[in-house]
Amino acid sequence: MEVPCVRAPVAEGEETRQELADADLVAPEFDIVVDDGTIYIPVTDTDAVPDDLTVAVHDVPERRTPTTPADVLGFEPTYERLGDVVIVDEDDPERARRIADAILESDVRAKTVVNRASKVKGETRVRDWDVLVGESTETVHREYGHEFALDITEVYFSPRLATERHRVVEQVETGENAFDMFAGVGPYAIPIADAGAEVVATDINEAAIDYLRENARRNGVEDRITAHADDVRDLAADYENWADRLVMNLPHSAQEFLDTAVRLAGDDCTIHYYDIQHEDDRFGPGEHAIRDAAEPDYDVTVETRHTVRSYAPHEYNVCLDVRLTRD
Ligand code: SAM
């Protein structure tokens, strides 16, 4: 389409575009084009263009707005992304299929589309999936500058916890000893190591630990992480009194591991204790359980009572940041 543009040598292109953008003169509905060493920047008002710039009419394409799944479907579907795997959460298989087809037809980047086929289950917290589009359920997910390779059919991983993990990582100090008791593929352990801690990470799921080791290498922190494919209870004797920080991300069952946590804790240790509780008393049961396990050997101070997310009607996923200080 022939539209008024500012014309400039390519070498001055970015500077010119910035000058026009600062004056709010770049026309958003057209693409900027480069022709034969000259850049053409479509503008909204030729009269307002500064005198030292050259205006010329040029042929530029209209900017195409990306097609969303909602454009295809006529309603806004719910989905989340894990690398190039797109996850939908639909009880009705027919509706799930329609959403998957719309995702493919849209401009959303997706190699595979899956639907949740069960709740997270068993010790490893892995769920079943219906694969609706594509084949591979392995992907690389990026979170706060780190890369995590994983296969959703083999390991637990929730992209919804990204902000929460970041909240914990921001508390880490260089040189501390951090123990991730239920580490999965390493979304706590790896950024904690990157923040300067010496990390021990374990998981009962061997596939998760294989990925954690790969992810430690991917993110250049393999020197600061020792990974074990073990039940954390079997490591308590080896790391007694070792940890300055403990991550206990096994909501529903963390309470059963508090005796192990107290054995791992050093003289001054912060525990990030995840729990799922009824809205009427989100933090009380966790705090009582921690006091029961740690007192009187330790002074127990609850530093943060944090609601991570709504988990089910009237139930919340919460985190208690608790400091244990040996008397
Ligand atoms: N922290 C990871 C994350 O944020 O993605 C994984 C959390 S997932 C809710 C809990 C993990 O604990 C699972 O990977 C499961 O295999 C592991 N797990 C369960 N029981 C365990 C045990 N006794 N010892 C070590 N790991 C265990």
Side-chain angles (χ1 to χ4, degrees):
M1 203 172 169
E2 300 276 314
V3 297
C5 297
V6 161
R7 188 177 71 188
V10 170
E12 293 164 21
E14 179 48 25
E15 192 190 327
T16 310
R17 191 203 61 78
Q18 192 60 57
E19 186 181 348
L20 293 168
D22 290 347
D24 209 13
L25 285 171
V26 180
E29 64 274 35
F30 300 107
D31 278 341
I32 296 172
V33 298
V34 174
D35 253 355
D36 219 8
T38 301
I39 192 166
Y40 294 88
I41 305 166
V43 286
T44 50
D45 179 0
T46 49
D47 291 343
V49 171
D51 289 344
D52 58 325
L53 297 178
T54 310
V55 176
V57 171
H58 196 76
D59 188 20
V60 295
E62 276 186 76
R63 178 162 290 172
R64 202 175 73 83
T65 47
T67 305
T68 67
D71 295 334
V72 180
L73 289 164
F75 64 86
E76 193 70 59
T78 305
Y79 62 88
E80 62 189 336
R81 307 188 48 141
L82 201 50
D84 49 14
V85 173
V86 174
I87 299 170
V88 296
D89 187 8
E90 294 293 333
D91 292 336
D92 175 1
E94 190 53 40
R95 187 175 150 101
R97 160 64 51 197
R98 278 182 62 206
I99 294 174
D101 289 344
I103 287 168
L104 264 200
E105 214 179 310
S106 76
D107 288 320
V108 169
R109 190 176 60 90
K111 174 185 69 175
T112 305
V113 183
V114 295
N115 190 22
R116 291 187 171 91
S118 76
K119 291 180 182 282
V120 289
K121 53 186 188 169
E123 251 184 348
T124 59
R125 315 308 289 149
V126 180
R127 63 172 94 230
D128 296 332
W129 301 94
D130 286 333
V131 180
L132 304 174
V133 171
E135 279 170 20
S136 173
T137 46
E138 189 177 47
T139 191
V140 177
H141 184 67
R142 285 173 187 76
E143 188 173 290
Y144 283 94
H146 295 101
E147 286 188 356
F148 300 100
L150 63 118
D151 185 328
I152 53 167
T153 63
E154 292 186 50
V155 300
Y156 172 92
F157 190 90
S158 173
R160 294 181 196 173
L161 296 178
T163 312
E164 169 56 19
R165 291 193 266 260
H166 189 61
R167 185 187 72 82
V168 168
V169 172
E170 283 195 308
Q171 299 175 39
V172 172
E173 284 170 23
T174 307
E176 67 177 40
N177 287 348
F179 198 121
D180 189 348
M181 295 171 64
F182 312 103
V185 303
Y188 285 91
I190 285 163
I192 286 176
D194 210 10
E198 192 61 41
V199 177
V200 173
T202 191
D203 201 289
I204 209 159
N205 180 349
E206 285 200 29
I209 289 299
D210 287 345
Y211 277 116
L212 185 145
R213 291 192 173 116
E214 178 188 337
N215 292 330
R217 286 190 293 273
R218 263 178 184 276
N219 293 283
V221 293
E222 69 271 37
D223 294 351
R224 283 205 295 282
I225 297 191
T226 306
H228 299 271
D230 280 314
D231 186 317
V232 65
R233 288 170 289 211
D234 296 337
L235 295 175
D238 294 342
Y239 290 96
E240 199 129 18
N241 201 22
W242 181 83
D244 304 313
R245 186 175 304 280
L246 291 166
V247 180
M248 299 185 73
N249 182 20
L250 186 63
H252 289 302
S253 327
Q255 185 173 346
E256 296 162 29
F257 293 85
L258 278 168
D259 290 343
T260 301
V262 171
R263 285 184 69 188
L264 295 172
D267 291 347
D268 187 349
C269 178
T270 299
I271 304 184
H272 305 284
Y273 178 89
Y274 290 92
D275 204 1
I276 288 172
Q277 291 294 343
H278 193 271
E279 63 187 359
D280 289 347
D281 189 8
R282 296 178 198 186
F283 302 104
E287 181 174 344
H288 288 137
I290 294 166
R291 287 191 185 282
D292 271 359
E295 287 173 344
D297 293 347
Y298 286 93
D299 273 344
V300 175
T301 311
V302 178
E303 296 199 320
T304 316
R305 293 176 178 82
H306 177 64
T307 298
V308 178
R309 59 177 171 159
S310 158
Y311 181 77
H314 310 293
E315 283 192 79
Y316 285 89
N317 180 192
V318 298
C319 183
L320 286 155
D321 296 342
V322 181
R323 185 143 177 207
L324 305 190
T325 320
R326 203 184 287 278
D327 264 347

